[in-house]
Amino acid sequence: MKIETYIRQPYPFYYEELKKVFFILCYISIVSFLFTYLFKPFIVNVAEHKINSLWIVVLHSVIPVPIAFVYAYFLKKSVKKIENWTLGKEFLHLAIILFLIGLASFLIRDFIYTNPDNWSFRYFWEEIRNTFLVGSLLLIIILPLNLERLIYKHSTVLKRIPINQQNLKEVDTVAQIQTPIVEENFELHIQTFLFAKVDGNYLEIFHTTSNGFEKHLKRLTLKEFDKQLSSFPFILKVHRSYIVNLKAITSISGNAQGYALNLKEYNQGTVPVSRSKIQDFNRFYSNISK
């Protein structure tokens, strides 16, 4: 159960910024080349080489870049709710990438070596094994260290901002919200508003009620909703898919993705604050908490 809980911890979805992913892959490729060329960790039979050993090292260092980049591209396209990304999912997909790199290394053996057993299961296993041996540093050491680093960083910053809202005044105001369809325009009661989140082409808007909370589905974009609420400094976009009423927060915790907000009367989870929105959140939340 401890392992299951650990791998279910939130983890940043780094694949949104493909340009940054590409540069990271190039950096890893250079490090991999230097390590393999200088330290020669694997036993090789030079007599079987069809090409110079230097070019073999270059091939094995460069091939992972397009494979990992294309995988990251499709991952970005397929993952819709990045707030649900976890350490376990990150581990799984990196393991798949390593497997694909090992498979590619196996498929190019005929281009590199004269060995008649190039297509044997032995060499297939050897290429997969060698790839995972190199990648084990990333999977077993770097991922957990990065998780703990981010949790510590966000939790430390969180301690510096006030979280007690007992003295905040309730705002009994009604905002007139316009939608693309005039007949669907509605009134938003600011005092009971909790948060809103994207649901496909719609927006789920959550309110407190005498019995807890309720939600309403509206045909409206998050960007337009945020724009119409710009006059309320305590209503803030905290994530690409979430807008929250800062005055509805009861507690905050830090995790690897950023912050997790608990809201009054809402007992079905937390609202995420993404890493890119932390500074804005700290500033606005500090101001309304004074």
Side-chain angles (χ1 to χ4, degrees):
M1 286 301 295
K2 288 184 179 180
I3 294 177
E4 182 179 353
T5 301
Y6 185 71
I7 64 174
R8 287 181 180 274
Q9 291 190 80
Y11 195 81
F13 185 81
Y14 290 110
Y15 308 98
E16 280 191 302
E17 303 177 63
L18 289 176
K19 187 176 181 180
K20 184 179 290 186
V21 169
F22 177 75
F23 283 115
I24 292 173
L25 290 173
C26 289
Y27 173 77
I28 293 174
S29 176
I30 293 171
V31 172
S32 174
F33 168 79
L34 292 174
F35 177 80
T36 306
Y37 183 73
L38 294 175
F39 296 99
K40 298 178 174 56
F42 303 112
I43 299 174
V44 296
N45 185 354
V46 179
E48 294 181 353
H49 290 182
K50 291 183 177 181
I51 59 176
N52 187 278
S53 298
L54 175 63
W55 288 110
I56 293 176
V57 176
V58 170
L59 272 175
H60 282 296
S61 300
V62 171
I63 283 177
V65 175
I67 293 173
F69 185 80
V70 170
Y71 193 92
Y73 174 81
F74 284 105
L75 200 58
K76 176 185 176 181
K77 294 292 184 182
S78 61
V79 176
K80 302 302 181 183
K81 295 184 177 182
I82 62 174
E83 63 272 19
N84 293 334
W85 198 251
T86 63
L87 178 67
K89 291 178 180 179
E90 182 75 9
F91 188 97
L92 171 63
H93 285 280
L94 287 178
I96 293 173
I97 291 173
L98 289 175
F99 175 81
L100 293 175
I101 292 171
L103 178 62
S105 297
F106 171 72
L107 294 176
I108 64 170
R109 283 190 61 86
D110 263 352
F111 175 72
I112 298 174
Y113 307 109
T114 57
N115 193 313
D117 294 327
N118 277 337
W119 293 100
S120 67
F121 179 79
R122 171 197 167 189
Y123 284 113
F124 171 76
W125 164 248
E126 186 176 282
E127 295 293 351
I128 299 296
R129 181 200 64 194
N130 290 346
T131 304
F132 272 87
L133 284 175
V134 175
S136 62
L137 175 67
L138 175 65
L139 295 178
I140 301 174
I141 300 176
I142 294 180
L143 282 189
L145 284 178
N146 191 45
L147 175 73
E148 298 302 325
R149 177 187 69 86
L150 290 171
I151 292 175
Y152 176 78
K153 175 185 175 182
H154 297 151
S155 298
T156 301
V157 173
L158 186 58
K159 293 176 182 178
R160 301 173 190 158
I161 64 173
I163 60 173
N164 186 355
Q165 299 199 16
Q166 293 179 358
N167 298 323
L168 292 179
K169 296 179 180 179
E170 295 290 341
V171 179
D172 189 10
T173 307
V174 176
Q176 302 296 326
I177 305 299
Q178 298 180 347
T179 70
I181 301 175
V182 177
E183 292 78 11
E184 295 183 6
N185 292 351
F186 63 96
E187 293 182 339
L188 181 73
H189 291 268
I190 301 299
Q191 183 176 352
T192 62
F193 173 64
L194 289 174
F195 71 98
K197 74 171 183 176
V198 174
D199 182 17
N201 296 322
Y202 293 84
L203 198 64
E204 286 185 339
I205 300 176
F206 292 76
H207 293 267
T208 58
T209 66
S210 57
N211 297 319
F213 73 93
E214 63 181 21
K215 68 178 178 179
H216 302 282
L217 202 61
K218 300 294 182 181
R219 197 190 309 268
L220 186 66
T221 66
L222 191 71
K223 181 179 179 180
E224 185 57 34
F225 187 63
D226 185 33
K227 183 179 178 180
Q228 294 186 53
L229 294 174
S230 59
S231 60
F232 301 98
F234 50 86
I235 294 180
L236 183 68
K237 183 178 179 181
V238 294
H239 187 280
R240 72 171 188 174
S241 301
Y242 289 84
I243 286 175
V244 68
N245 181 353
L246 301 180
K247 294 188 175 184
I249 298 172
T250 57
S251 65
I252 312 171
S253 59
N255 58 36
Q257 289 182 349
Y259 296 158
L261 310 178
N262 289 293
L263 306 180
K264 59 184 179 183
E265 305 300 336
Y266 183 69
N267 57 5
Q268 293 191 2
T270 58
V271 171
V273 179
S274 63
R275 291 177 300 134
S276 62
K277 296 292 185 180
I278 282 181
Q279 289 187 354
D280 286 343
F281 176 87
N282 291 346
R283 185 173 69 256
F284 281 88
Y285 189 74
S286 296
N287 288 338
I288 66 121
S289 297
K290 290 179 181 178

